[in-house]
Amino acid sequence: MSYESVAIQSQGWQAQIAPAYGANPIFLQYCGQDIPVPWSEDVRDPFLCGAPLLLPANRTAGGKFTFHGKEYT
């Protein structure tokens, strides 16, 4: 089975993204080195595998959050 994908690249990164499957990356590479992504050609449900690139849509309480000791607003 083949999936339509969108190619993106920036500053050494290259990726193929499958918009119809939760914007999951189906290929990822940095400076010519492949980065493994949890993707399978047998995927039928985008919610069961993959690594979505976007944060969940909604509001963040107080407009900020902390990740690995760093605060983001």
Side-chain angles (χ1 to χ4, degrees):
M1 176 180 282
S2 66
Y3 300 92
E4 288 188 31
S5 64
V6 175
I8 59 174
Q9 61 181 4
S10 177
Q11 299 179 4
W13 288 95
Q14 293 184 7
Q16 292 285 329
I17 309 301
Y21 283 82
N24 281 301
I26 58 175
F27 170 80
L28 186 60
Q29 193 176 71
Y30 180 67
C31 292
Q33 188 166 26
D34 289 346
I35 309 292
V37 293
W39 180 262
S40 167
E41 286 289 327
D42 299 328
V43 150
R44 299 287 182 264
D45 185 342
F47 298 104
L48 298 179
C49 85
L53 297 177
L54 303 175
L55 294 173
N58 210 332
R59 296 178 191 261
T60 302
K64 60 185 175 182
F65 67 96
T66 303
F67 182 72
H68 286 238
K70 184 175 177 183
E71 185 172 276
Y72 296 88
T73 55

